[in-house]
Amino acid sequence: MGMRVEDRRVLIAGGGPVGLLSAWLLGRQGIPVRLFDVNAAPQADPRAATTHPATLDLLADDGLADDMARVGLVAPIFQFWDRPSAEKVAEFDHAILKGETDHPFVVQCEQFKTAKLILERARKLPNVELLYSHEVVDIAQTSDTVSVDVRGPDGIKTHSGAYLIGADGGRSVVRKQAGIAFDGFTWPERFIVLTTPFDFEASSGYCYRSYFADPDEWCNCFKVSADGPPGLWRTVYPTNPELSETELMSDASVQARMQKFFPASRPYEIVHRNLYVTHQRVAETFHKGRVLLAGDSAHINNPIGGMGLNGGIQDAANLAEKLAKVLLDKAPDALLDLYSLQRRTVATEFVQEQSIANKKRLEAKDPETRKRNLDELREIAADPARAKQFLLRTSMVASQRRVAAMALTEA
Ligand SMILES: Cc1cc2nc3c(=O)[nH]c(=O)nc-3n(C[C@H](O)[C@H](O)[C@H](O)COP(=O)(O)OP(=O)(O)OC[C@H]3O[C@@H](n4cnc5c(N)ncnc54)[C@H](O)[C@@H]3O)c2cc1C
């Protein structure tokens, strides 16, 4: 007798890029998938854009990474600047990673575009059901099955499956209902993102990914392709925790911040302004019984270095491969513990550590520490061997190698 569909079905809470990628990767292998998202339709979310080489390597199948490069921007270079002196301190070119990755460059592709490209692929699979306007409100599991209560247009209904992936973001209901702790801390300052068509490359030679160290107000400046040439520039700054959202987001405050960053003869055109609370947290486990966590539900970090979604995509690829082995080849459930071990280790050892270090390097106030930080960046950039090691880490190739080494150790 064949298995019932619900005995093989994977339920997914959340249709952000991580949930959608999980759905597509599992669906491609013939596994029945049912995904729920609380929103009525995919959101034009202005958060992640930077997609690192190690992640692009995972997305090469079916031309996905190529499509991301086509709708986004290829950014081989990133720069560090000293904001007070306006000096370019260091420049790094991913070309040095040729032979280490198939994608020796970053692709700046806004996360809603990445999600859309995955969605187009997932929609072609008859075994993948994508249910929008469906909110997961409760979960329950036994040793054999997992179920979710979902509030949809027709009220609350229960859906059952073999496994549940919580890809429902930082405030994950799945993580909370499964009783999985999310330890870490919240930064007191919120980050403000101001997006403008002003061309910082033409005006001042900033490349598509530029980081500015400053004892008072660090900044990140990035280009995204938006709706096509000429594209938009996103500037990211810390904000004063004592000021209210209204004060921080007012036209006067936004213009003053932009003029301080880069004085211009006219007011800036601001097309988006967003304020984010940022955290550093990792779930105590990514696997509890029939519940698995991936993406922001499992780990969140500040966006300096652009690693949050990259980590989530790497989770989804790792998890889909293992879940398929469990569901299709009867591999032991312990394989899912390996998923948790691998991905949790790199979330902690690499992404948390690196994103906190990135922030500290940009915001350092003590003149001695600043000088040491900037001198170190200059020295690394001037030494090809050190620059390569540095880029292997920032591009997340090193963390993927750590994951692969753990698989060998555990095998
Ligand atoms: C300013 C900023 C810049 C960033 N830049 C980068 C970057 O350059 N590179 C990078 O790698 N990362 C970056 N990040 C991080 C990145 O945005 C997140 O890591 C990413 O969105 C995580 O994707 P996700 O699919 O896990 O979660 P989300 O994108 O949060 O998606 C979760 C989905 O779940 C749905 N949902 C939530 N609750 C429920 C429920 N109960 N039932 C059903 N559906 C539910 C939501 O509607 C949403 O669609 C940045 C973050 C910020 C704030």
Side-chain angles (χ1 to χ4, degrees), residues 259-308:
Q259 290 289 347
K260 189 173 155 211
F261 171 61
F262 191 83
S265 53
R266 279 181 287 163
Y268 277 90
E269 182 187 343
I270 303 294
V271 293
H272 298 297
R273 59 189 81 183
N274 300 87
L275 196 59
Y276 296 97
V277 177
T278 48
H279 319 259
Q280 305 286 158
R281 293 179 192 276
V282 180
E284 66 175 325
T285 179
F286 296 3
H287 174 215
K288 189 168 178 181
R290 299 199 158 256
V291 173
L292 297 138
L293 302 180
D296 274 19
S297 74
H299 44 75
I300 40 178
N301 55 274
N302 81 69
I304 305 171
M307 288 181 291

XYZ file of all heavy atoms in Angstrom, residues 259-308:
398
model
N 22.311 65.035 3.958
C 23.242 66.134 3.664
C 24.519 65.985 4.479
O 25.605 66.320 4.008
C 22.584 67.500 3.975
C 21.464 67.878 3.013
C 21.976 68.245 1.607
O 23.164 68.461 1.389
N 21.058 68.288 0.642
N 24.397 65.450 5.688
C 25.590 65.239 6.519
C 26.447 64.121 5.908
O 27.676 64.196 5.899
C 25.149 64.871 7.937
C 26.281 64.834 8.930
C 25.767 64.634 10.346
C 26.870 64.001 11.180
N 26.365 63.139 12.219
N 25.773 63.094 5.398
C 26.525 61.985 4.781
C 27.248 62.478 3.536
O 28.443 62.260 3.343
C 25.561 60.848 4.414
C 26.202 59.764 3.593
C 27.269 59.039 4.094
C 25.739 59.467 2.321
C 27.873 58.046 3.343
C 26.343 58.474 1.559
C 27.414 57.770 2.076
N 26.505 63.164 2.689
C 27.102 63.624 1.436
C 26.429 64.938 1.049
O 25.316 64.932 0.503
C 26.900 62.566 0.343
C 27.704 62.873 -0.877
C 29.044 62.512 -0.937
C 27.151 63.569 -1.938
C 29.806 62.834 -2.058
C 27.912 63.879 -3.049
C 29.239 63.521 -3.107
N 27.085 66.084 1.363
C 26.452 67.377 1.083
C 26.156 67.549 -0.414
O 27.025 67.292 -1.247
C 27.497 68.403 1.548
C 28.405 67.637 2.462
C 28.405 66.213 1.981
N 24.932 67.926 -0.723
C 24.540 68.117 -2.124
C 23.866 69.479 -2.244
O 23.361 70.020 -1.254
C 23.581 67.009 -2.551
N 23.856 70.014 -3.455
C 23.338 71.380 -3.624
C 21.811 71.427 -3.529
O 21.239 72.470 -3.276
C 23.809 71.946 -4.964
O 23.452 71.033 -5.979
N 21.157 70.257 -3.728
C 19.692 70.241 -3.685
C 19.214 69.218 -2.653
O 19.972 68.310 -2.296
C 19.145 69.840 -5.053
C 19.113 71.024 -6.015
C 18.535 70.616 -7.348
N 19.487 69.793 -8.090
C 19.170 69.034 -9.128
N 17.921 68.933 -9.513
N 20.086 68.341 -9.770
N 17.946 69.338 -2.226
C 17.429 68.301 -1.315
C 17.455 66.942 -2.020
O 17.327 66.876 -3.243
C 15.988 68.728 -1.044
C 15.875 70.137 -1.501
C 16.948 70.378 -2.514
N 17.628 65.888 -1.251
C 17.632 64.532 -1.818
C 16.211 64.075 -2.122
O 15.290 64.318 -1.333
C 18.253 63.561 -0.809
C 19.758 63.538 -0.843
C 20.503 64.392 -0.047
C 20.423 62.656 -1.674
C 21.890 64.371 -0.077
C 21.805 62.626 -1.717
C 22.531 63.490 -0.920
O 23.896 63.455 -0.972
N 16.056 63.394 -3.230
C 14.787 62.691 -3.468
C 14.874 61.377 -2.688
O 15.816 60.591 -2.888
C 14.629 62.414 -4.973
C 13.319 61.727 -5.288
C 13.243 61.297 -6.754
O 14.036 61.788 -7.592
O 12.387 60.432 -7.035
N 13.937 61.146 -1.796
C 13.945 59.919 -0.981
C 12.759 59.060 -1.417
O 11.610 59.469 -1.266
C 13.839 60.252 0.529
C 14.977 61.179 0.974
C 13.809 58.975 1.371
C 16.369 60.580 0.906
N 13.047 57.891 -1.965
C 11.940 57.056 -2.450
C 11.446 56.037 -1.415
O 10.311 55.586 -1.499
C 12.281 56.349 -3.787
C 12.412 57.344 -4.915
C 13.529 55.520 -3.679
N 12.322 55.646 -0.482
C 11.869 54.790 0.630
C 12.569 55.266 1.893
O 13.731 55.661 1.833
C 12.304 53.327 0.468
C 11.771 52.636 -0.728
N 10.442 52.418 -0.917
C 12.408 52.078 -1.774
C 10.274 51.767 -2.060
N 11.450 51.563 -2.600
N 11.873 55.188 3.015
C 12.514 55.367 4.317
C 11.983 54.261 5.225
O 10.775 54.071 5.325
C 12.271 56.769 4.877
C 10.828 57.139 5.062
C 10.641 58.606 5.398
N 10.688 59.450 4.204
C 10.606 60.774 4.199
N 10.504 61.434 5.326
N 10.635 61.447 3.073
N 12.874 53.485 5.823
C 12.467 52.349 6.665
C 13.321 52.336 7.919
O 14.522 52.619 7.861
C 12.666 51.021 5.933
C 11.872 50.939 4.653
O 12.324 51.370 3.600
N 10.677 50.412 4.736
N 12.677 51.977 9.029
C 13.367 51.909 10.312
C 13.282 50.466 10.814
O 12.195 49.883 10.799
C 12.652 52.858 11.291
C 13.334 53.262 12.566
C 14.667 53.965 12.304
C 12.412 54.206 13.370
N 14.413 49.887 11.232
C 14.432 48.478 11.654
C 15.037 48.333 13.044
O 16.096 48.909 13.323
C 15.287 47.642 10.700
C 14.748 47.577 9.294
C 15.233 48.433 8.317
C 13.752 46.663 8.958
C 14.743 48.379 7.016
C 13.259 46.606 7.657
C 13.758 47.462 6.702
O 13.266 47.404 5.418
N 14.376 47.522 13.867
C 14.988 47.066 15.121
C 15.887 45.902 14.720
O 15.478 45.054 13.923
C 13.904 46.587 16.116
C 14.546 46.044 17.390
C 12.929 47.702 16.429
N 17.112 45.849 15.254
C 17.984 44.724 14.877
C 18.413 43.939 16.111
O 18.556 44.490 17.199
C 19.230 45.171 14.084
O 19.811 46.246 14.757
C 18.895 45.590 12.684
N 18.602 42.666 15.895
C 18.894 41.728 16.991
C 20.063 40.826 16.592
O 20.397 40.717 15.417
C 17.709 40.786 17.252
C 16.363 41.426 17.204
N 15.676 41.766 18.336
C 15.565 41.775 16.162
C 14.504 42.300 17.997
N 14.425 42.311 16.677
N 20.584 40.147 17.594
C 21.537 39.041 17.376
C 20.992 37.864 18.173
O 21.102 37.832 19.403
C 22.937 39.416 17.897
C 23.544 40.692 17.363
C 24.061 40.646 15.942
O 24.200 41.663 15.287
N 24.342 39.464 15.453
N 20.368 36.941 17.528
C 19.748 35.806 18.231
C 19.855 34.536 17.395
O 19.741 34.599 16.168
C 18.253 36.069 18.506
C 18.012 37.179 19.490
C 16.521 37.447 19.722
N 16.390 38.695 20.446
C 16.483 38.801 21.766
N 16.619 37.722 22.508
N 16.393 39.974 22.352
N 20.031 33.406 18.085
C 20.060 32.101 17.414
C 19.171 31.148 18.210
O 19.254 31.094 19.444
C 21.503 31.534 17.333
C 21.513 30.174 16.641
C 22.431 32.494 16.599
N 18.323 30.394 17.517
C 17.443 29.430 18.187
C 18.279 28.323 18.833
O 19.330 27.944 18.302
C 16.466 28.829 17.173
N 17.788 27.803 19.955
C 18.583 26.791 20.684
C 18.733 25.500 19.887
O 19.689 24.759 20.059
C 17.999 26.503 22.078
C 16.635 25.842 22.033
C 16.089 25.444 23.396
O 16.885 25.056 24.256
O 14.866 25.532 23.581
N 17.778 25.213 19.014
C 17.911 24.098 18.070
C 17.120 24.442 16.819
O 16.182 25.242 16.881
C 17.399 22.763 18.659
O 17.553 21.740 17.666
C 15.931 22.822 19.055
N 17.510 23.865 15.684
C 16.751 24.082 14.444
C 15.898 22.841 14.137
O 15.282 22.751 13.077
C 17.687 24.339 13.255
C 18.528 25.604 13.344
C 18.497 26.440 14.446
C 19.368 25.961 12.285
C 19.282 27.600 14.519
C 20.145 27.109 12.339
C 20.108 27.923 13.458
N 15.900 21.851 15.053
C 15.157 20.606 14.829
C 14.590 20.114 16.149
O 15.347 19.801 17.076
C 16.100 19.539 14.245
C 15.459 18.187 14.106
N 16.167 17.019 14.293
C 14.189 17.819 13.809
C 15.356 15.989 14.112
N 14.154 16.448 13.820
N 13.263 20.090 16.233
C 12.629 19.544 17.433
C 11.484 18.648 16.983
O 10.448 19.151 16.511
C 12.121 20.689 18.314
C 11.634 20.231 19.675
C 11.439 21.422 20.594
C 10.904 20.986 21.933
N 10.678 22.113 22.837
N 11.700 17.355 17.068
C 10.677 16.401 16.623
C 10.431 16.558 15.134
O 11.332 16.374 14.313
N 9.213 16.942 14.788
C 8.847 17.083 13.370
C 8.873 18.539 12.917
O 8.413 18.864 11.833
C 7.472 16.449 13.133
C 7.553 14.982 13.470
C 6.496 14.127 12.925
N 7.045 12.780 12.920
C 7.481 12.149 11.845
N 7.444 12.729 10.678
N 7.984 10.939 11.940
N 9.442 19.384 13.767
C 9.521 20.815 13.448
C 10.961 21.196 13.125
O 11.884 20.824 13.862
C 9.016 21.657 14.647
C 9.248 23.143 14.407
C 7.544 21.372 14.906
N 11.111 21.930 12.027
C 12.437 22.408 11.625
C 12.363 23.919 11.437
O 11.343 24.430 10.997
C 12.844 21.732 10.313
C 12.974 20.223 10.521
C 12.379 19.455 9.372
C 14.413 19.844 10.785
N 13.424 24.596 11.790
C 13.458 26.059 11.593
C 14.483 26.396 10.524
O 15.544 25.763 10.450
C 13.845 26.770 12.894
C 12.960 26.534 14.118
C 13.506 27.334 15.316
C 11.514 26.928 13.836
N 14.165 27.423 9.724
C 15.117 27.881 8.706
C 14.950 29.386 8.514
O 13.852 29.928 8.673
C 14.859 27.150 7.383
N 16.040 30.054 8.175
C 15.983 31.501 7.917
C 15.869 32.295 9.207
O 16.331 31.870 10.271
N 15.192 33.457 9.112
C 15.133 34.362 10.271
C 14.440 33.730 11.474
O 14.645 34.183 12.602
C 14.393 35.656 9.890
C 15.324 36.690 9.263
O 16.414 36.303 8.801
O 14.968 37.881 9.228
N 13.614 32.734 11.289
C 12.988 32.101 12.459
C 14.049 31.388 13.297
O 13.874 31.174 14.487
C 11.902 31.109 12.031
O 12.486 29.944 11.514
N 15.175 31.043 12.663
C 16.238 30.298 13.342
C 17.382 31.200 13.802
O 18.077 30.882 14.768
C 16.792 29.212 12.412
N 17.591 32.312 13.099
C 18.741 33.180 13.441
C 18.519 34.568 12.873
O 18.063 34.714 11.729
C 20.042 32.597 12.869
C 19.926 32.109 11.463
N 19.869 32.961 10.382
C 19.796 30.857 10.938
C 19.753 32.268 9.271
N 19.673 30.969 9.577
N 18.824 35.585 13.671
C 18.757 36.951 13.133
C 20.003 37.709 13.569
O 20.586 37.456 14.626
C 17.483 37.723 13.563
C 17.120 37.466 15.014
C 16.316 37.398 12.663
C 15.903 38.255 15.473
N 20.414 38.634 12.711
C 21.656 39.373 12.964
C 21.526 40.752 12.344
O 20.639 40.987 11.519
C 22.842 38.613 12.336
C 22.647 38.330 10.871
O 22.041 37.322 10.501
N 23.115 39.218 10.021
N 22.429 41.656 12.727
C 22.383 42.979 12.094
C 22.796 42.836 10.626
O 23.524 41.907 10.271
C 23.244 43.980 12.881
C 24.719 43.881 12.544
O 25.142 44.226 11.432
N 25.523 43.398 13.479
N 22.328 43.753 9.762
C 22.531 43.533 8.322
C 23.907 43.946 7.777
O 24.127 43.827 6.571
C 21.422 44.376 7.681
C 21.114 45.431 8.676
C 21.399 44.875 10.028
N 24.842 44.385 8.643
C 26.138 44.839 8.107
C 26.938 43.615 7.648
O 27.269 42.741 8.440
C 26.926 45.654 9.160
C 26.067 46.814 9.662
C 28.235 46.167 8.563
C 26.664 47.550 10.847
N 27.226 43.565 6.364
C 27.877 42.394 5.773
C 26.887 41.568 4.968
O 27.285 40.689 4.209
N 25.586 41.831 5.135
C 24.546 41.189 4.309
C 24.555 39.672 4.405
O 24.684 38.986 3.397
N 24.376 39.139 5.618
C 24.502 37.683 5.746
C 23.224 36.969 6.178
O 23.165 35.743 6.131
C 25.626 37.366 6.728
C 26.990 37.676 6.126
S 28.332 37.283 7.237
C 28.081 38.531 8.460
N 22.195 37.710 6.618
C 21.009 37.058 7.187
C 20.286 36.161 6.194
O 20.107 34.964 6.427
